[in-house]
Amino acid sequence: MPGALAGIRVVDFTEYIAGPYCTMMLADMGADVVKVERPHGDAWRHTAPVAPYESRGFLGVNRGKRSIALDLEQDEGRAIAQELAARAGVVVTNYRPGVAKRLGLDYEALSARNARLVYCENTAFGHSGPYSGRAGYDILSQATTGMILHENKIDRGVPQTIQTVAVADLTSGMFMAFAIVNALYARERTGRGQLLETSLFASGIAAQYRPVLSVERLDAPVREAFLQALAEARSGGLRYEDTAQLRAQSVPGRGRNNYYRVYETRDGLIAVACLNNRQRRLLRDALGIDDPTVDGMRYDWFSEEVRAAHRGTIEQFEETFRLERTEVWLERLDAADVPCSPVNFPEEIFGDAHVRANGLLLELEHPVLGPLLMPACPIRMSETPAGRPLPPPVLGADGPDVLRELGYDDAAIARLLDERVLVLRERLLAQDGGDEEGRP
């Protein structure tokens, strides 16, 4: 049974994470995604490679696609890319402002040839404002939006980036896919495509869904004191740690929370997540700890009174959890209906029984690397199944087939290969263009 986006041709000009993650989501839904790569491939192929022109990072965001490697600095390479894009249903780019226009791959040029084209452009900071010309990556979005400061992780006085996932990149990819599907739905009604714009900066802001300030909850004098301390820090009078402590005191919801955190057990770690007083009472009672802050609605949960009470009982919570093994606590808290979970190491996930029971792993055969085990599409659809069974593409491997679809014959394809307008991985390995790890 075909996927929901079967019949939709997507031409993907993106690199690294955000754009490729978006187009992988579309491929999972059945779209035919043609990834247009530079002669030496998406730069992500060369970051911590596991084989020439292959890396874990690249494999993780390019499942289900076909690859054509073109030299867009040559006239004929640009012409092929323009023809591919003009015939597509969807084009996705992540060039810096101005690059797409120079290559003849901008929305205005392509939509003039195809009014039904859905064109999604992701940039670092958008097209307006003082940051608009800058290149950008996930850490820069985290920095400029303030996201990097939320976790208060400090090393030698400097905030550390959120590294567990590329927050801005992945949310950008999801927003892009969401926008594209909405535009395709609108096209069914109007017959016309449209230009979609996203940015890592906008996604970094959107991911911080809670209001930054609340007039009712945030004391003006406290805020002014924090801003004054920040001004002093920026003039060299204070270090980041000084302002971080003040911010923890001034922003609602920050500070000690015994009911939403990770604890050590006798043999491991366990996380608890109690977001209402019923759940907090259940955990308190299961632990046998006296904590009146969860009785009724007598306490403002974000008040200093509650935070002070939790500072006074934190050692009791921690010592109690250390008395039993994780398995014992899971059984006890599950029976009490307390939201909880073991803390698994990432290396354990691929062998986790729950992961396998829910079909969250995908086994694919890669032409270069052999069997691959990777996260599957997390969406299930009863009538249009998700997840194309194609492995991440080998650099340029589908180029000849893509050109045949455009009407090129074998002689023309051979000429383009000889002139290095069209590139194949095996030819690169046989030439002097890459080193032993496949880097240009």
Side-chain angles (χ1 to χ4, degrees):
M1 187 179 300
L5 296 181
I8 300 294
R9 165 69 65 84
V10 178
V11 178
D12 175 8
F13 292 97
T14 67
E15 292 189 319
Y16 293 107
I17 301 176
Y21 192 74
C22 160
T23 53
M24 184 178 73
M25 292 176 68
L26 302 179
D28 280 341
M29 293 298 140
D32 175 21
V33 178
V34 176
K35 182 178 178 69
V36 180
E37 302 191 60
R38 293 186 284 179
H40 283 88
D42 182 337
W44 208 224
R45 288 183 180 272
H46 308 292
T47 302
V50 294
Y53 301 98
E54 304 293 347
S55 74
R56 286 187 175 87
F58 177 86
L59 296 170
V61 292
N62 284 287
R63 177 181 66 241
K65 307 175 188 179
R66 299 191 288 162
S67 170
I68 179 172
L70 294 170
D71 186 352
L72 300 187
E73 297 305 318
Q74 296 194 49
D75 291 343
E76 199 162 6
R78 286 195 299 276
I80 292 170
Q82 291 162 8
E83 187 65 23
L84 265 174
R87 294 192 188 189
V90 177
V91 167
V92 187
T93 70
N94 68 346
Y95 296 120
R96 289 175 71 168
V99 174
K101 187 173 183 64
R102 177 176 67 80
L103 297 174
L105 296 171
D106 55 304
Y107 175 69
E108 290 75 13
L110 297 178
S111 63
R113 298 179 59 185
N114 177 7
R116 290 177 56 82
L117 178 66
V118 171
Y119 185 105
C120 184
E121 177 185 45
N122 186 58
T123 58
F125 294 101
H127 286 278
S128 303
Y131 306 157
S132 59
R134 293 177 179 169
Y137 298 96
D138 187 87
I139 187 175
L140 301 183
S141 174
Q142 290 189 32
T144 51
T145 62
M147 184 191 300
I148 198 172
L149 304 180
H150 276 294
E151 296 187 352
N152 280 337
K153 294 191 296 187
I154 311 301
D155 182 19
R156 288 171 289 180
V158 177
Q160 299 302 294
T161 180
I162 300 169
Q163 296 181 352
T164 46
V165 294
V167 185
D169 278 328
L170 295 180
T171 52
S172 289
M174 295 175 193
F175 284 133
M176 293 164 74
F178 178 66
I180 288 167
V181 171
N182 274 275
L184 290 173
Y185 182 73
R187 190 176 72 182
E188 290 301 303
R189 300 196 313 272
T190 67
R192 294 191 60 82
Q194 57 183 296
L195 172 64
L196 314 172
E197 295 179 310
T198 63
S199 73
L200 299 183
F201 183 70
S203 296
I205 291 175
Q208 300 175 73
Y209 63 95
R210 290 167 290 192
V212 176
L213 298 178
S214 170
V215 175
E216 294 79 15
R217 314 263 319 167
L218 189 58
D219 246 340
V222 174
R223 178 172 178 265
E224 290 304 318
F226 168 71
L227 294 177
Q228 178 63 35
L230 181 61
E232 293 177 12
R234 285 178 169 164
S235 68
L238 294 172
R239 299 188 70 205
Y240 173 76
E241 293 99 321
D242 300 308
T243 57
Q245 180 59 35
L246 182 58
R247 186 168 183 266
Q249 296 170 359
S250 64
V251 178
R254 289 193 172 273
R256 187 73 67 189
N257 186 343
N258 295 347
Y259 295 91
Y260 196 88
R261 56 159 291 187
V262 173
Y263 286 97
E264 270 190 309
T265 67
R266 181 188 292 181
D267 65 348
L269 299 167
I270 189 171
V272 295
C274 303
L275 286 176
N276 58 59
N277 277 346
R278 183 189 72 83
Q279 294 171 340
R280 294 168 189 136
R281 285 194 297 272
L282 292 172
L283 176 57
R284 175 198 65 182
D285 295 345
L287 297 175
I289 292 175
D290 181 24
D291 180 8
T293 65
V294 298
D295 289 326
M297 299 301 292
R298 294 184 294 123
Y299 295 94
D300 177 350
W301 187 250
F302 297 115
S303 69
E304 178 56 31
E305 184 178 8
V306 168
R307 290 196 293 233
H310 287 183
R311 285 193 290 271
T313 57
I314 184 58
E315 290 186 2
Q316 190 176 2
F317 273 77
E318 292 175 344
E319 289 170 1
T320 302
F321 269 108
R322 290 192 190 103
L323 294 175
E324 300 287 357
R325 293 179 295 110
T326 299
E327 183 180 355
V328 173
W329 281 121
L330 289 172
E331 291 177 359
R332 189 175 301 177
L333 297 183
D334 280 341
D337 198 27
V338 174
C340 62
S341 173
V343 176
N344 293 317
F345 288 92
E347 293 80 3
E348 296 178 296
I349 287 298
F350 285 87
D352 188 274
H354 189 79
V355 172
R356 292 185 177 275
N358 283 275
L360 298 179
L361 295 177
L362 187 63
E363 296 185 25
L364 297 172
E365 187 70 25
H366 191 274
V368 174
L369 301 171
L372 288 182
L373 189 63
M374 62 192 307
C377 176
I379 300 169
R380 291 189 177 183
M381 302 177 71
S382 64
E383 301 300 323
T384 52
R388 291 187 78 201
L390 289 177
V394 171
L395 176 61
D398 306 290
D401 287 339
V402 172
L403 290 186
R404 291 186 188 101
E405 293 166 7
L406 292 179
Y408 287 76
D409 60 23
D410 288 346
I413 293 170
R415 176 181 60 79
L416 292 170
L417 285 169
D418 289 339
E419 295 174 358
R420 300 193 184 185
V421 173
L422 181 70
V423 176
L424 298 177
R425 177 183 183 273
E426 56 266 30
R427 287 204 173 201
L428 284 175
L429 292 176
Q431 296 164 356
D432 296 330
D435 65 16
E436 69 278 2
E437 290 187 325
R439 287 193 294 264

